[in-house]
Amino acid sequence: MTTNLLDFDLEGMAAFCEQLGQKRFRATQLFRWIHQKGASDFEQMTDLAKALREKLALSARITGLKVVSRHDSTDGTIKWLFDVGAGDVIETVFIPESDRGTLCISSQAGCAVGCRFCSTGHQGFSRNLTTGEIISQLWFAEHFLRKHLGRDERIISNVVMMGMGEPLQNYSQLLPALKVMLDDHGYGLSRRRVTVSTSGVVPMIDRLARDCPVALAVSLHAPHDALRSDLVPLNKKYPIAELLEACTRYQSAAPRDFITFEYCMLDGVNDQPEHARQLVALMKTHAANGLSCKFNLIPFNPFPASGLVRSQMPQVMAFARILMDAGIVTTVRKTRGDDIDAACGQLAGDVQDRTGVDQRMAAQRQGMLGGIKVVVLNKDSA
Ligand code: SAH
Ligand code: SF4
């Protein structure tokens, strides 16, 4: 079995080169070919001696994920479905904006946390993605977009770990992938442009602070433990006070940064003025210990099995007003890619029912999804 070089950060690649009896600097060359130029074949690597290219081809490969389909939204958002084997499908979403291009990446097939408002949570957990599977989403999307848009410069400027899965429950595979994103020989993204979003795995927040303090987003969704435990079951293990203390410690590792709190607005559940006032009080207590935060209110993206309803916009704005009047920077997230189910919590929402997916794919092949451009690809084409 050959080694997939997409599984390595630069350190791992250097160790691999040493095993082959090569100098460590070869790792930098390989890294740049793969991540900066999108090479998938050693023959392309013209500055490596032919003998080395042949040796590499015998022991290594550069294999990305199998693309199942691509969905192009009218607002420019692109969603890919990737087949990760055994009937599991993961999703990656590209969101273009005037000043940036953001890629939303999955970290697991399914998720074990089981939040009530999240369609991935309702699917249950299938497995952790490998480092190669995590970084392949960026490798593929960046080089696909360059080709597609005919541009020979960086397209993806920001990465958010907000696709399927809880990234901090897949820490050992996540960490090397983050390192590739930040590495100057990889994607060269600054740590402020890479965001890990978590439902609150406290010990891993501390590890991330030590190992790789990128931007942190925490899915809060409720101002007190009773409600949060109902929405985010992990709260029973790591309650709000412990979570916010971990956030405060995180900030001391990444001074000058905010922690972003995500708050999914659920009609009649967590969106009342009283909840906003409780949040203000909570944040004031922790601000005194050095926590500085930003709130991102996310209109809930409904799916039938949740039994939950999206808050009305006036309710969201009234909630935001209470936070802002207390001096908390608050944004309301625009939903993007609604027409292709690419919004938060809708990722691979139809995968639970394999028959449903197959029917849907058949409909897509026949071009039956009105108004939405869908491209279904063969297993091996990219
Ligand atoms: N597991 C991580 C990251 C993936 S979820 C986490 O929970 O943070 C990314 C974001 O989407 C989280 O803030 C999550 O709360 C939000 N989300 C999940 N389902 C949603 C839905 N149906 N509507 C709106 N936001 C949702
Ligand atoms: Fe998992 Fe995040 Fe969905 Fe909760 S919101 S179930 S942690 S992916």
Side-chain angles (χ1 to χ4, degrees):
M1 188 64 181
T2 53
T3 304
N4 190 359
L5 299 188
L6 286 168
D7 277 318
F8 291 137
D9 60 10
L10 191 57
E11 202 40 49
M13 190 81 87
F16 177 76
C17 286
E18 276 185 332
Q19 266 175 27
L20 284 187
Q22 295 295 318
K23 293 266 169 15
R24 289 175 72 92
F25 75 85
R26 290 280 175 227
T28 313
Q29 276 177 304
L30 278 168
F31 223 65
R32 295 175 73 98
W33 272 109
I34 296 168
H35 295 292
Q36 297 190 345
K37 298 187 188 145
S40 57
D41 187 338
F42 298 112
E43 279 311 302
Q44 293 167 266
M45 304 182 181
T46 43
D47 56 355
L48 299 184
K50 195 162 175 16
L52 176 58
R53 296 200 304 252
E54 284 167 1
K55 193 169 177 181
L56 280 166
L58 289 177
S59 56
R61 65 184 197 285
I62 304 154
T63 310
L65 294 167
K66 284 184 199 138
V67 185
V68 179
S69 62
R70 189 180 93 222
H71 306 244
D72 296 1
S73 164
T74 47
D75 69 11
T77 301
I78 302 177
K79 175 175 90 167
W80 288 275
L81 256 107
F82 295 103
D83 176 356
V84 293
D88 288 321
V89 177
I90 58 149
E91 299 201 4
T92 306
V93 180
F94 173 66
I95 306 144
E97 286 173 280
S98 55
D99 60 341
R100 70 181 81 173
T102 303
L103 194 71
C104 177
I105 292 186
S106 294
S107 56
Q108 299 179 313
C111 181
V113 177
C115 301
R116 266 182 60 196
F117 50 83
C118 172
S119 125
T120 308
H122 278 247
Q123 276 175 57
F125 177 66
S126 200
R127 71 170 175 88
N128 281 327
L129 299 184
T130 62
T131 296
E133 288 169 330
I134 296 171
I135 206 66
S136 280
Q137 299 170 61
L138 175 57
W139 176 72
F140 172 82
E142 173 67 30
H143 297 291
F144 168 87
L145 289 165
R146 282 191 205 178
K147 236 185 276 167
H148 190 64
L149 303 174
R151 280 163 55 186
D152 197 21
E153 63 197 355
R154 181 156 83 187
I155 312 278
I156 294 166
S157 59
N158 295 64
V159 169
V160 293
M161 298 301 306
M162 292 186 187
M164 298 172 74
E166 169 47 60
L168 295 187
Q169 288 188 337
N170 184 17
Y171 190 78
S172 65
Q173 299 299 310
L174 173 74
L175 185 61
L178 293 177
K179 293 204 165 144
V180 178
M181 294 172 198
L182 302 187
D183 202 303
D184 282 341
H185 301 296
Y187 297 87
L189 300 176
S190 83
R191 62 179 186 79
R192 287 184 178 73
R193 290 176 175 269
V194 174
T195 301
V196 168
S197 175
T198 180
S199 55
V201 191
V202 165
M204 292 300 148
I205 292 177
D206 287 323
R207 291 222 14 215
L208 190 66
R210 276 204 310 274
D211 296 340
C212 195
V214 293
L216 186 67
V218 171
S219 295
L220 194 59
H221 308 309
H224 59 79
D225 282 322
L227 182 55
R228 189 165 193 269
S229 295
D230 182 45
L231 296 172
V232 183
L234 192 67
N235 191 72
K236 293 179 201 133
K237 194 159 182 196
Y238 305 115
I240 293 176
E242 280 180 37
L243 176 58
L244 297 186
E245 282 158 21
C247 291
T248 310
R249 291 194 292 277
Y250 195 89
Q251 265 198 296
S252 55
R256 289 178 300 151
D257 286 353
F258 285 102
I259 305 286
T260 303
F261 290 106
E262 295 161 283
Y263 197 99
C264 180
M265 298 293 289
L266 303 164
D267 186 47
V269 175
N270 64 354
D271 66 344
Q272 301 299 303
E274 180 59 14
H275 296 123
R277 286 192 287 270
Q278 289 167 348
L279 275 181
V280 168
L282 183 68
M283 290 302 142
K284 275 213 174 110
T285 317
H286 288 270
N289 300 331
L291 179 65
S292 48
C293 67
K294 225 160 57 175
F295 267 78
N296 194 355
L297 306 181
I298 316 171
F300 170 58
N301 295 303
F303 60 99
S306 69
L308 297 162
V309 177
R310 176 187 288 191
S311 304
Q312 301 287 317
M313 221 7 131
Q315 192 73 23
V316 177
M317 297 321 285
F319 196 96
R321 172 56 51 204
I322 295 171
L323 298 183
M324 288 190 291
D325 285 348
I328 299 175
V329 178
T330 306
T331 52
V332 177
R333 187 180 292 170
K334 279 189 293 217
T335 57
R336 297 286 303 262
D338 264 349
D339 53 345
I340 55 168
D341 280 359
C344 306
Q346 293 183 324
L347 301 186
D350 290 337
V351 178
Q352 319 158 47
D353 175 0
R354 296 297 300 166
T355 335
V357 142
D358 292 345
Q359 278 166 2
R360 203 166 108 128
M361 298 289 290
Q364 287 165 3
R365 267 183 219 109
Q366 290 159 25
M368 282 163 54
L369 290 182
I372 303 163
K373 200 173 140 213
V374 175
V375 185
V376 178
L377 299 152
N378 293 328
K379 278 203 162 152
D380 302 320
S381 59

